[in-house]
Amino acid sequence: MPPGVSEDYSEGSAGLTTKQRDALTALWRVLPQARLVGGVVRDLLAGRPVSDIDLATPEPPAEVLASLKAAGIKVIPTGLAHGTVTAVMEGQPYEITTLRRDVTTDGRHASVCWTSNWAEDAKRRDFTINAMFRDRHGQLTDYFGGQADLAAGRVRFVGEASARIREDALRILRFFRFQGRYGGAEPDAEAISAIRENADWLKRLSVERIWSEMQKILTGQGARGQVRLMEETGVLSVLFPSGVTISRFDALLAAGAPADPVLRLAALIAEDPSGLARRLKLSRAETRYLVAVSCNKAPATDISDDALRCLLSDKSKGLLLALVWLAQADASFSPSVLAESFIALRARIRDMPVPVFPLAGKHLCDAGLATGPDIGRVLTEVRQWWQQHGCQAGLEACLKQAMNLRQIK
């Protein structure tokens, strides 16, 4: 039996849905040499639900594409230059990639060529737990001890850790994500040493790749521990040279805040949020949210219903809830402030109906006000009056106030 090949894979297909098993059966009819690879094998071994399914195959990508089309399977050439096509079955994607070996790498991109050697393909992968294959008979191929590492809670680079990092610096961030999800209490010493020595290689990455991975770390399992480990290894000082507020991030998660990556980023950063948003190339929605949660204050825990309604007429519930979470994190450093007061305030925000200003320009026109700039001025002034009175006045009262203003003007 070849090195790294197990005679039996006792977990079989447990963890796959019926649709996934049926799809794989159909794919294996066309590509009998193909094997499951990476995350699907890892999660089957770990007894976790499987979401994405990737396969590897020795056939070149053009041949894979032609074979799937001939079998009537919808296939998309998603990454032919990298050897990848995507079969779509019952709306679900199945990525199929030709076995590869690296020709050149620069820490950001790799030039590859095709191979029929399974060990060569496994050697270019990041971690041992992601470098395992499983064929259609359930046989496991594991060249680097990934199964043992998974059982031991050990996230270990394939081969020399520094070499893997210098092939693609994103593997530094992927290490922390996988360590949080699959690792044990003590991270692999060689991995930590290599990350510490090569943290500056992160500067070679596009900010889009960095933010994509950071979102997963900030909201993933073990986020608190991994962020602290990133600080200890110098990774955070490379990503956020203006500094971070680890204690505030810890307090936010300890309070039970939701897995919201932008909210957690706001708790972590110490720099200007607008500048950070530009540097990380956040989306417009992410930028607005980051600036809003960083630059607004939460309502007081004893705010009146009228004042809270007024806030809700201008700000979304999501933003107000985020501000309260941050306020609770900040208050955790003061033992005299009780968490129950923040919990109660969030419940009030969730339960309170969002007030809607009842008056519109149409109502003013129907009441005889000529169209023009006066319409906007009156609406603005009536809305201010409506907010000052707890956002409870109805259409009739607002229209009466508008007529009063018209007479005054």
Side-chain angles (χ1 to χ4, degrees):
M1 186 171 291
V5 177
S6 302
E7 189 167 350
D8 179 50
Y9 180 23
S10 59
E11 282 75 6
S13 295
L16 297 175
T17 66
T18 300
K19 283 186 178 181
Q20 288 170 334
R21 288 195 295 270
D22 290 346
L24 287 173
T25 298
L27 290 172
W28 272 318
R29 285 196 197 103
V30 182
L31 302 168
Q33 295 185 79
R35 301 178 187 177
L36 297 174
V37 64
V40 57
V41 181
R42 178 196 68 225
D43 287 341
L44 285 171
L45 282 170
R48 296 177 183 238
V50 171
S51 52
D52 298 327
I53 294 182
D54 296 335
L55 297 98
T57 188
E59 294 95 340
E63 184 178 325
V64 173
L65 191 67
S67 297
L68 291 171
K69 283 183 176 179
I73 295 173
K74 180 180 179 181
V75 58
I76 304 169
T78 44
L80 282 182
H82 301 285
T84 300
V85 303
T86 301
V88 181
M89 308 184 73
E90 294 196 35
Q92 297 301 310
Y94 296 81
E95 282 198 354
I96 305 163
T97 302
T98 298
L99 298 178
R100 301 171 292 183
R101 66 179 177 85
D102 289 337
V103 178
T104 59
T105 59
D106 62 5
R108 182 172 182 176
H109 304 293
S111 172
V112 300
C113 66
W114 319 136
T115 181
S116 59
N117 188 315
W118 292 92
E120 281 288 325
D121 186 271
K123 188 168 65 175
R124 68 179 298 277
R125 296 182 179 271
D126 50 10
F127 309 113
T128 62
I129 62 173
N130 293 336
M132 297 180 283
F133 305 98
R134 177 205 157 188
D135 70 13
R136 61 197 178 106
H137 302 297
Q139 193 172 72
L140 182 71
T141 303
D142 179 9
Y143 295 103
F144 303 105
Q147 187 173 16
D149 284 342
L150 187 65
R154 184 169 50 242
V155 180
R156 186 167 58 89
F157 283 97
V158 170
E160 183 188 350
S162 287
R164 297 289 80 74
I165 289 171
R166 289 173 183 176
E167 289 167 355
D168 184 355
L170 192 70
R171 289 170 175 170
I172 290 176
L173 300 182
R174 284 172 59 82
F175 172 84
F176 295 107
R177 174 158 64 92
F178 284 104
Q179 178 65 26
R181 185 168 172 81
Y182 299 97
E186 288 298 322
D188 180 68
E190 183 190 352
I192 293 301
S193 177
I195 288 170
R196 187 175 282 115
E197 292 171 5
N198 295 283
D200 276 350
W201 279 66
L202 287 166
K203 296 175 182 177
R204 298 174 177 233
L205 295 175
S206 70
V207 290
E208 292 91 345
R209 294 183 79 198
I210 289 174
W211 174 231
S212 176
E213 199 64 33
M214 277 301 298
Q215 291 181 71
K216 299 169 186 175
I217 294 170
L218 293 174
T219 59
Q221 289 180 224
R224 292 174 69 187
Q226 297 317 304
V227 167
R228 283 202 169 273
L229 192 56
M230 290 168 74
E231 182 187 38
E232 293 168 12
T233 52
V235 168
L236 289 188
S237 63
V238 173
L239 299 180
F240 306 108
S242 296
V244 292
T245 52
I246 294 287
S247 57
R248 193 183 193 214
F249 178 81
D250 279 353
L252 180 73
L253 269 63
D260 176 338
V262 178
L263 172 61
R264 294 186 177 188
L265 179 66
L268 179 64
I269 61 170
E271 63 185 284
D272 168 58
S274 298
L276 178 65
R278 286 192 298 271
R279 185 164 63 80
L280 290 182
K281 295 185 179 179
L282 302 189
S283 69
R284 289 182 181 179
E286 289 171 335
T287 298
R288 285 194 297 268
Y289 184 34
L290 178 65
V291 172
V293 297
S294 300
C295 301
N296 282 281
K297 289 186 177 182
T301 55
D302 60 353
I303 187 172
S304 68
D305 283 350
D306 281 356
L308 187 55
R309 271 191 294 271
C310 183
L311 280 177
L312 279 171
S313 69
D314 281 333
K315 294 179 171 60
S316 71
K317 284 191 176 187
L319 173 58
L320 289 179
L321 290 170
L323 292 172
V324 176
W325 279 115
L326 287 174
Q328 183 174 348
D330 292 333
S332 66
F333 305 108
S334 174
S336 62
V337 181
L338 298 177
E340 286 77 6
S341 60
F342 294 101
I343 295 171
L345 177 56
R346 283 194 295 273
R348 289 175 62 200
I349 292 171
R350 292 190 190 99
D351 293 343
M352 182 172 284
V354 176
V356 178
F357 182 51
L359 190 64
K362 176 182 180 300
H363 301 121
L364 296 180
C365 290
D366 290 346
L369 189 63
T371 57
D374 277 354
I375 293 280
R377 176 188 59 77
V378 171
L379 284 174
T380 298
E381 293 186 16
V382 175
R383 192 173 191 276
Q384 291 172 348
W385 169 85
W386 173 75
Q387 287 181 317
Q388 290 166 2
H389 290 77
C391 304
Q392 298 193 81
L395 174 58
E396 185 177 344
C398 288
L399 193 55
K400 182 179 179 181
Q401 179 65 15
M403 294 302 102
N404 290 339
L405 289 171
R406 182 184 179 189
Q407 290 172 8
I408 294 171
K409 298 296 180 184

